[in-house]
C-alpha cells in the first residue's frame, strides 16, 4: 500500500454501543439515548421521541472494518453524530457528554491505529471548556475536531469562538465543520427538506461567517474542511463575491479581502452525489482541497465509497455512462459490489482526492497505515 493507493474517508460517524442515561444523570431531558430493540439494531431516542434507527456498523469497529474491507476503504476518520453535539445543554454537562464520546473514539483508534483516526467533539458553547477538551484530546492522539455549523445563536464568526480556532491552529488540529440544527418546522417539515436543502444552506452560512468574520484571515494556518462538498457555496460564490463588491456598506465591519481570495485555503469533502457537481467543486475549491467523504453509515451518504471520484478521473465519454449508474446505487445496498471502473486517465488526481489531500489536511504520514 502506498499513499497514492490509500482511500481515506474523512466524513463518517460513530457512536458508543451504550452510555449512561444523561437525562437521569443531569436531571433534565433533550439528550439522545440508544434503545437496543433487536440484535444489531438500535433506535436513537430523544427523550420519548424517535430520531433515527441505526445498525451495528454505527457502533462496532469490527463491523466497520468488515465493510471497509468490502468497500476498499483503508482508513476512516471517526466523528460523532452531530445530534450529539449538545451545545444547548449546560456547559459542564456537554463537557461530560463530549468526554464520553471522545474517550470511545480514542479507544477505537488506539485498538486499530492503522484503520482509524479521530475527530473530537467539544462543548463549543463554553469556549474555555472547549479549549481544555481540545488540548486533552490532542494529547490522546486525535487529529482534530468536528464542530457544528453554528453554536446556538452564534455563527462561526462569533468573537467568543476565536480562542477555540486559535487553539486549534496552535495545536495543529484540523477542523471539520458539519451542518446541524437546521429548521425542521413550518415550511421545512416535508420532503426531508432540512437534510436536502437546509444542510447545504447551513454550510454556506458557516463558510461565509468564517470568511467575512475574519476567522480565516486571523488564523491563516487553521485547516478547515466543510462537509457535503461545501454545501451550496461552490455554486453561489459568484453571487457572494458580487454582493461583497456592490454593497460595501453591508460589509463595513467585515474582512475586506475578496471572498474569492480564500478559495484554495480551506477544504471540503467530495459528498455531492453528482459528477457535474464534483467537477464544479474541483474547479472552485481546488483539486488539492477536496477529499473523499461518505457520511457512512447513513443512507444519505455515498454508498459505494469513492465511486464518484473514480468517475471524475475517467475520460468524458466514459464519465457519462458511469454517471448514469450512480443514481442506482441509492436504491440498493451495494456493500459487496465494487464497480468495474476502467483505469483512470488522471491517476494523480484520483490519488489526491482519495487519500493524499486528506493526509495533508490531517497532517498525518501515510506510513502510519502501512
Amino acid at each position: 500500500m502506498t499513499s497514492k493507493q490509500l482511500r481515506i474517508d474523512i466524513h463518517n460517524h460513530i457512536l458508543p454501543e451504550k452510555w449512561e442515561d444523561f437525562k437521569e444523570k443531569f436531571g433534565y431531558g433533550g439528550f439522545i439515548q440508544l434503545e437496543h430493540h433487536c440484535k444489531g439494531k438500535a433506535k436513537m431516542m430523544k427523550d420519548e421521541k424517535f430520531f433515527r434507527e441505526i445498525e451495528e456498523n454505527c457502533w462496532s469497529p469490527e463491523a466497520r472494518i468488515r465493510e471497509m474491507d468490502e468497500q476498499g476503504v483503508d482508513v476512516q476518520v471517526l466523528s460523532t453524530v452531530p445530534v450529539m453535539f449538545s451545545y444547548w445543554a449546560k456547559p459542564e454537562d456537554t463537557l461530560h457528554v463530549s468526554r464520553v464520546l471522545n474517550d470511545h473514539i480514542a479507544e477505537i483508534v488506539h485498538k486499530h491505529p492503522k484503520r482509524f483516526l479521530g475527530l473530537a467533539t467539544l462543548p463549543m458553547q463554553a469556549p474555555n471548556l472547549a479549549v481544555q477538551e481540545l488540548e486533552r484530546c490532542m494529547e490522546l492522539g486525535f487529529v482534530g475536531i468536528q464542530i457544528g455549523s453554528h453554536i446556538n445563536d452564534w455563527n462561526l464568526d462569533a468573537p467568543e469562538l476565536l480562542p477555540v480556532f486559535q487553539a486549534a491552529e496552535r495545536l495543529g488540529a484540523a477542523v471539520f465543520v458539519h451542518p446541524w440544527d437546521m429548521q425542521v418546522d413550518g415550511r421545512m417539515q416535508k420532503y426531508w427538506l432540512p437534510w436536502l436543502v437546509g444542510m447545504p444552506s447551513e454550510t454556506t452560512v458557516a463558510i461565509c461567517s468564517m470568511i467575512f468574520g475574519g476567522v480565516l484571515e486571523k488564523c491563516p494556518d487553521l485547516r478547515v474542511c466543510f462537509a457535503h462538498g461545501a454545501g451550496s457555496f461552490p455554486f453561489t460564490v459568484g453571487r457572494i463575491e458580487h454582493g461583497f463588491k456592490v454593497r460595501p456598506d453591508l460589509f463595513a465591519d467585515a474582512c475586506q479581502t475578496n471572498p474569492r481570495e480564500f478559495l484554495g485555503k480551506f477544504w471540503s469533502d467530495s459528498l455531492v452525489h453528482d459528477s457535474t457537481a464534483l467537477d464544479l467543486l474541483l474547479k472552485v475549491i481546488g483539486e488539492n482541497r477536496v477529499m473523499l467523504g461518505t457520511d457512512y453509515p447513513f443512507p444519505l451518504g455515498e454508498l459505494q465509497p469513492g465511486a464518484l471520484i473514480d468517475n471524475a478521473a475517467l475520460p468524458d465519454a466514459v464519465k457519462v455512462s458511469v454517471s448514469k449508474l450512480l443514481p442506482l446505487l441509492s436504491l440498493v445496498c451495494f456493500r459487496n459490489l465494487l464497480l468495474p471502473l476502467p483505469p483512470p486517465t488522471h491517476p494523480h488526481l484520483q490519488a489526491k482526492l482519495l487519500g493524499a489531500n486528506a493526509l495533508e489536511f490531517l497532517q498525518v504520514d501515510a506510513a502510519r497505515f502501512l
Side-chain angles (χ1 to χ4, degrees):
M1 182 187 301
T2 68
S3 61
K4 289 186 176 181
Q5 296 171 320
L6 281 175
R7 289 191 178 226
I8 302 174
D9 181 2
I10 192 74
H11 179 182
N12 56 88
H13 303 291
I14 195 166
L15 290 170
E17 183 174 1
K18 58 184 69 174
W19 57 84
E20 62 197 310
D21 188 325
F22 292 139
K23 181 178 181 179
E24 181 178 300
K25 179 177 180 62
F26 301 136
Y28 59 96
F31 299 94
I32 294 288
Q33 296 294 147
L34 287 190
E35 181 181 301
H36 290 269
H37 59 95
C38 66
K39 182 176 176 59
K41 294 186 177 183
K43 296 177 182 178
M44 296 179 69
M45 303 293 295
K46 186 175 182 179
D47 297 330
E48 305 302 319
K49 186 176 180 181
F50 173 79
F51 175 72
R52 173 185 290 163
E53 184 173 69
I54 59 175
E55 298 182 2
E56 181 186 23
N57 57 6
C58 199
W59 66 76
S60 167
E62 292 76 21
R64 295 173 85 93
I65 289 173
R66 286 196 302 270
E67 294 189 0
M68 289 165 65
D69 289 343
E70 293 168 356
Q71 298 170 343
V73 175
D74 299 297
V75 182
Q76 285 186 345
V77 184
L78 305 175
S79 57
T80 193
V81 180
V83 72
M84 301 297 292
F85 286 152
S86 306
Y87 298 147
W88 51 269
K90 296 177 182 178
E92 294 79 6
D93 298 340
T94 305
L95 175 62
H96 180 82
V97 172
S98 298
R99 287 180 171 173
V100 169
L101 300 171
N102 293 336
D103 288 348
H104 171 249
I105 290 176
E107 180 181 353
I108 292 174
V109 173
H110 179 74
K111 186 176 180 181
H112 305 282
K114 294 184 182 295
R115 304 309 301 270
F116 299 113
L117 297 168
L119 297 175
T121 186
L122 308 176
M124 292 291 289
Q125 75 272 38
N128 59 326
L129 295 181
V131 171
Q132 291 176 24
E133 180 64 3
L134 169 59
E135 292 174 339
R136 185 185 81 93
C137 287
M138 294 304 287
E139 291 178 357
L140 290 175
F142 281 74
V143 292
I145 57 176
Q146 177 190 226
I147 67 171
S149 50
H150 67 275
I151 315 299
N152 299 328
D153 291 333
W154 295 340
N155 278 327
L156 298 187
D157 61 342
E160 293 88 347
L161 296 174
L162 185 59
V164 181
F165 296 128
Q166 291 173 328
E169 182 182 38
R170 170 174 54 86
L171 296 168
V175 179
F176 184 69
V177 180
H178 196 293
W180 88 299
D181 193 31
M182 304 78 65
Q183 180 186 348
V184 297
D185 57 2
R187 294 166 51 240
M188 299 294 285
Q189 292 185 66
K190 298 169 68 176
Y191 315 127
W192 214 9
L193 290 179
W195 273 258
L196 303 184
V197 177
M199 278 192 164
S201 176
E202 270 291 322
T203 302
T204 305
V205 171
I207 296 173
C208 288
S209 295
M210 295 192 79
I211 289 175
F212 292 128
V215 177
L216 298 182
E217 188 171 65
K218 294 171 185 175
C219 302
D221 295 324
L222 184 66
R223 305 190 308 281
V224 186
C225 174
F226 296 94
H228 308 137
S232 55
F233 181 85
F235 190 77
T236 56
V237 63
R239 180 181 179 88
I240 292 166
E241 179 190 35
H242 181 70
F244 173 79
K245 290 179 177 179
V246 301
R247 288 301 305 268
D249 56 310
L250 300 180
F251 295 88
D253 298 326
C255 170
Q256 293 303 301
T257 303
N258 187 309
R260 195 176 289 274
E261 295 296 316
F262 291 95
L263 299 180
K265 297 183 179 179
F266 57 85
W267 283 256
S268 80
D269 69 18
S270 62
L271 190 57
V272 294
H273 302 288
D274 180 86
S275 58
T276 301
L278 181 59
D279 288 344
L280 176 65
L281 182 65
L282 295 174
K283 291 176 182 177
V284 174
I285 302 300
E287 293 182 357
N288 294 325
R289 291 294 181 262
V290 177
M291 305 173 285
L292 173 64
T294 68
D295 213 353
Y296 174 99
F298 299 131
L300 198 50
E302 185 178 32
L303 301 182
Q304 178 55 45
L308 197 61
I309 289 174
D310 290 332
N311 184 36
L314 294 175
D316 288 341
V318 179
K319 193 180 293 186
V320 172
S321 62
V322 175
S323 66
K324 293 178 180 178
L325 296 176
L326 291 175
L328 299 178
L329 292 174
S330 64
L331 302 178
V332 186
C333 180
F334 277 73
R335 290 177 179 170
N336 297 310
L337 172 63
L338 292 178
L339 287 177
L341 295 171
T345 56
H346 303 290
H348 183 60
L349 170 61
Q350 187 184 42
K352 288 195 295 185
L353 302 181
L354 292 175
N357 290 346
L359 293 173
E360 180 184 355
F361 173 67
L362 301 169
Q363 295 291 284
V364 175
D365 194 320
R368 169 172 177 163
F369 310 113
L370 298 178

